[in-house]
Amino acid sequence: MNKVLTLFKNNKALLRFMALSYLDKAIIFLLPLLVFQFFQDQKVYVSIEYIYSVTTVIIPLIDLGLSGYFFYAYRNSENRNVIISFFIKCFQRLYLVISCVGLVFITIHYFGFGFEPLIVFIVARLLFVLATAFFASYYRLTNKPEKAVYITLFSNILSLSFLLAYFVSGLQFSLWLVFIGQILFSTLYFLKSIIDVFFRGNQGIETNEIKSIFLKALMFSWPSIIQVFVAMGITNFGKINMFTKMNLEDGVLLSLIQRFSMIIFLTHSSVWAFILKDLYVDKNLLTINKHLFYKYLMFLLLAFGIVLFVTEIYILKNYINVFRTSCIALLIIGQTFFACIFAYLEMYYGRENKNIIKLYLALFNALVFLFVLMAFNLDFLERISLAMFISTFTSLLLSVFVLYKRNYNLA
């Protein structure tokens, strides 16, 4: 106990950042649950989870590897301030292109197939996640990681405020309430990017330099892009297909357990954001920092225990078939836990510029997932849960073996 207390005292900056990050993530975590609790509409709830899942799968493809390459370029640059400034200008151009593509897609869909609000929400969330993911890298490299949290915190508090106001006033719920903060931010940053790029952001910027950065980012990150796409596709496969392959009750169950499991992922991302720079600038390429890894693992295990406890209480209160539901929950929560550790260890391949290994691991992950999905004659929810767990766990074991064979050591 004394060692734990000492560890907490020696990491005040990390805890302060995590507290702010957790406040933001708590709102993200609660928004769909509050909609479900306040308005008691299962279809609306699974629609929100569907939008979140689709954007999570698409986002690795439209980033073009810029955020991942940012850290590598920073680590190997002699003038890091210039690199940071230049990457901001590159990102704004990418953001404008993606925004215009999204608007064209909405327009074509509107005139060709009729207006579907889900398309607007998906585009707005894609732009929001694209920007905030890049800002998380930017502010971490400028030693101000909390500023990225302020952006998402403001947007999420705005959405939460509208949601509570509608509920208290007894007004009819609309999906716009959940995404209004993200739509507003995406619109404002789109206008800012136009001003910066076309009116005050072209000084000293050569088109060939920008093309070169995107080409280098894509060449550096393409294995990671495919790897993340595969990983997110596996994790969100069930929710993307729940309208067609599951009944509504199983769709809600899957969504709720994966939402509870977000606590583990949010813990991972909070600690990860704080220590990522230290890991990347460490010159000992074949050494896994034992102190940082144990710190990370301690927080992750704490989150894992909390999620298991909360989920089991929810299951006991709301489900008759406790054994089936508990088994599904344990598989999903376990998959999230192992996926986070898997993602942590994969950083070392990126630091070595060996992202091709990440691609091989992703392909192995996908093959195991598909094999389990087709091999077992179970209900879709059971098959999805089992396939996610087995594919992630075996991929983690393979990753540990690869690191061992590459002579990595824990020190």
Side-chain angles (χ1 to χ4, degrees):
M1 179 61 71
N2 290 333
K3 289 183 178 180
V4 173
L5 292 174
T6 302
L7 179 63
F8 271 72
K9 289 178 181 178
N10 292 337
N11 292 279
K12 291 182 180 179
L14 171 59
L15 293 174
R16 185 170 56 251
F17 172 77
M18 285 189 64
L20 185 63
S21 181
Y22 257 103
L23 174 61
D24 174 49
K25 301 300 189 296
I27 298 174
I28 298 173
F29 172 78
L30 287 173
L31 270 174
L33 295 179
L34 289 176
V35 171
F36 183 60
Q37 183 65 35
F38 288 166
F39 301 98
Q40 295 296 312
D41 192 327
Q42 291 183 334
K43 189 172 182 179
V44 167
Y45 172 67
V46 295
S47 295
I48 296 172
E49 296 288 5
Y50 172 80
I51 293 168
Y52 282 4
S53 297
V54 170
T55 55
T56 300
V57 173
I58 295 175
I59 199 69
L61 302 178
I62 65 174
D63 176 65
L64 300 182
L66 195 65
S67 295
Y69 183 64
F70 196 178
F71 277 94
Y72 181 80
Y74 178 89
R75 182 178 187 273
N76 293 280
S77 174
E78 295 180 358
N79 194 332
R80 292 175 172 176
N81 290 330
V82 172
I83 281 291
I84 289 175
S85 177
F86 188 69
F87 265 75
I88 279 286
K89 294 172 182 177
C90 290
F91 174 75
Q92 287 182 324
R93 285 154 175 80
L94 174 65
Y95 189 86
L96 287 177
V97 171
I98 300 298
S99 298
C100 291
V101 171
L103 291 174
V104 170
F105 185 76
I106 292 172
T107 303
I108 292 174
H109 196 277
Y110 176 79
F111 288 105
F113 306 97
F115 180 66
E116 174 52 68
L118 290 183
I119 303 297
V120 178
F121 302 139
I122 289 172
V123 170
R125 179 156 178 80
L126 278 172
L127 292 172
F128 180 78
V129 175
L130 178 69
T132 52
F134 179 81
F135 287 141
S137 299
Y138 168 74
Y139 285 120
R140 186 64 194 95
L141 290 177
T142 56
N143 295 316
K144 300 174 183 177
E146 69 281 355
K147 286 196 173 183
V149 181
Y150 292 145
I151 296 172
T152 55
L153 189 61
F154 174 78
S155 298
N156 293 321
I157 287 177
L158 183 63
S159 295
L160 179 62
S161 300
F162 272 88
L163 179 64
L164 293 175
Y166 266 63
F167 175 71
V168 172
S169 303
L171 298 175
Q172 186 177 1
F173 172 78
S174 172
L175 274 175
W176 293 91
L177 302 176
V178 178
F179 297 97
I180 189 169
Q182 299 174 37
I183 294 172
L184 177 62
F185 172 83
S186 301
T187 303
L188 291 176
Y189 192 70
F190 175 72
L191 296 175
K192 182 183 186 310
S193 296
I194 290 176
I195 294 172
D196 288 346
V197 170
F198 293 105
F199 298 101
R200 62 186 185 194
N202 291 313
Q203 295 84 355
I205 298 295
E206 296 290 338
T207 303
N208 288 336
E209 288 181 305
I210 295 175
K211 290 180 180 179
S212 175
I213 283 292
F214 280 115
L215 181 61
K216 289 178 181 178
L218 198 56
M219 293 300 294
F220 173 83
S221 301
W222 72 267
S224 296
I225 292 172
I226 298 175
Q227 179 265 331
V228 174
F229 174 75
V230 170
M232 292 299 100
I234 290 173
T235 302
N236 293 278
F237 186 83
K239 288 192 288 187
I240 291 175
N241 290 278
M242 61 187 170
F243 283 122
T244 57
K245 297 185 177 181
M246 278 187 279
N247 58 52
L248 191 57
E249 289 72 21
D250 276 357
V252 171
L253 174 61
L254 172 65
S255 299
L256 283 173
I257 295 175
Q258 286 197 314
R259 182 140 298 272
F260 291 152
S261 298
M262 273 187 63
I263 295 174
I264 300 172
F265 175 74
L266 297 178
T267 301
H268 159 82
S269 59
S270 296
V271 179
W272 177 255
F274 191 85
I275 66 177
L276 184 59
K277 181 182 177 182
D278 294 334
L279 292 173
Y280 250 90
V281 299
D282 190 344
K283 295 181 179 180
N284 299 316
L285 286 181
L286 298 180
T287 297
I288 298 175
N289 189 304
K290 180 169 64 176
H291 174 70
L292 291 178
F293 181 67
Y294 286 166
K295 182 193 301 183
Y296 164 82
L297 201 57
M298 184 191 72
F299 282 110
L300 205 67
L301 284 168
L302 178 62
F304 178 76
I306 291 172
V307 171
L308 275 179
F309 179 74
V310 171
T311 303
E312 195 59 32
I313 290 177
Y314 178 83
I315 289 172
L316 290 172
K317 288 185 176 181
N318 293 279
Y319 288 91
I320 298 175
N321 192 342
V322 174
F323 178 76
R324 172 191 183 252
T325 311
S326 297
C327 289
I328 291 171
L330 184 60
L331 289 171
I332 294 173
I333 296 168
Q335 185 268 341
T336 304
F337 177 77
F338 290 125
C340 290
I341 300 176
F342 185 39
Y344 182 98
L345 295 178
E346 280 191 325
M347 181 279 307
Y348 289 97
Y349 304 126
R351 198 177 65 164
E352 276 193 88
N353 196 12
K354 298 293 183 181
N355 286 327
I356 192 66
I357 299 176
K358 297 166 71 173
L359 175 59
Y360 295 146
L361 290 170
L363 294 177
F364 174 81
N365 195 359
L367 289 174
V368 174
F369 175 80
L370 292 174
F371 172 79
V372 176
L373 197 64
M374 294 184 294
F376 290 89
N377 186 22
L378 301 169
D379 288 340
F380 186 73
L381 180 55
E382 280 87 340
R383 282 191 290 130
I384 281 293
S385 305
L386 192 62
M388 288 193 301
F389 179 85
I390 293 177
S391 62
T392 301
F393 183 66
T394 53
S395 298
L396 172 60
L397 293 179
L398 180 59
S399 181
V400 172
F401 176 74
V402 171
L403 289 171
Y404 171 77
K405 295 299 289 185
R406 292 183 62 78
N407 297 317
Y408 269 82
N409 61 89
L410 192 65

